[in-house]
């Protein structure tokens, strides 16, 4: 179970997916697979990118899996986020470094890296804890 964030190269002014365009063809790719790997390594130097389509970074109290697929160039990437500590600054660092945009799949909105992003992360954690509590 993960909190899923879609990373794409969307215009800075777009606030909804409808403003980005109706087709994936309207969205510029993130870059070549090597460029995407270089960007991930620049922000997360200890990321394991042994599998070129699926990387992982184990942070302090959280992990991020980078699901970029095997297409080259990389059209977009899903971050599968798990853990308990504050991961928002890490996602923001990646977006700041690259100019990419983070789309919170759970809320259906681009992340503003503000209180709303924090609230979405906390709500996902509470949901995860309820599900795990039921299983345990």
């Amino acid at each position: 179970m993960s909190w899923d964030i879609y990373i794409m190269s969307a215009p800075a002014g777009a606030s909804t997916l409808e403003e980005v365009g109706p087709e994936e063809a309207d969205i510029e790719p993130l870059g070549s697979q090597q460029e995407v790997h270089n960007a991930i390594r620049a922000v997360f130097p200890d990321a394991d990118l042994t599998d070129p389509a699926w990387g992982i970074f184990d942070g302090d109290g959280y992990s991020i899996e980078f699901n970029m697929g095997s297409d080259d160039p990389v059209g977009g990437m899903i971050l599968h986020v798990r853990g308990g500590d504050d991961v928002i600054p890490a996602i923001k660092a990646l977006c700041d470094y690259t100019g990419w945009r983070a789309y919170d799949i759970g809320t259906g909105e681009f992340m503003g890296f503000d209180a709303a992003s924090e609230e979405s992360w906390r709500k996902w954690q509470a949901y995860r804890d309820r599900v795990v509590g039921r299983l345990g």
Side-chain angles (χ1 to χ4, degrees):
M1 175 181 297
S2 62
W3 185 50
D4 297 331
I5 304 298
Y6 185 67
I7 301 294
M8 68 179 81
S9 187
S15 58
T16 66
L17 284 182
E18 289 77 25
E19 293 175 17
V20 172
E23 303 287 332
E24 276 193 31
D26 294 338
I27 301 171
E28 293 292 320
L30 299 179
S32 71
Q33 197 172 65
Q34 188 60 54
E35 290 169 331
V36 172
H37 285 195
N38 291 346
I40 292 169
R41 282 191 183 104
V43 178
F44 306 100
D46 296 328
D48 178 356
L49 297 170
T50 305
D51 179 345
W54 193 284
I56 188 162
F57 173 73
D58 288 317
D60 187 20
Y62 64 87
S63 70
I64 301 174
E65 292 182 19
F66 305 92
N67 179 357
M68 64 205 90
S70 58
D71 291 344
D72 199 354
V74 177
M77 172 172 54
I78 296 180
L79 306 183
H80 302 286
V81 182
R82 296 175 179 85
D85 283 352
D86 188 11
V87 70
I88 303 295
I91 299 169
K92 182 179 186 313
L94 180 64
C95 291
D96 286 349
Y97 181 81
T98 60
W100 299 336
R101 302 280 308 276
Y103 181 80
D104 184 337
I105 294 171
T107 65
E109 298 176 353
F110 284 101
M111 292 178 69
F113 305 108
D114 54 10
S117 297
E118 292 286 341
E119 180 180 353
S120 177
W121 172 232
R122 299 295 173 223
K123 282 183 178 180
W124 176 83
Q125 289 175 316
Y127 170 76
R128 174 207 58 203
D129 293 347
R130 283 192 310 274
V131 169
V132 171
R134 288 181 197 152
L135 296 174

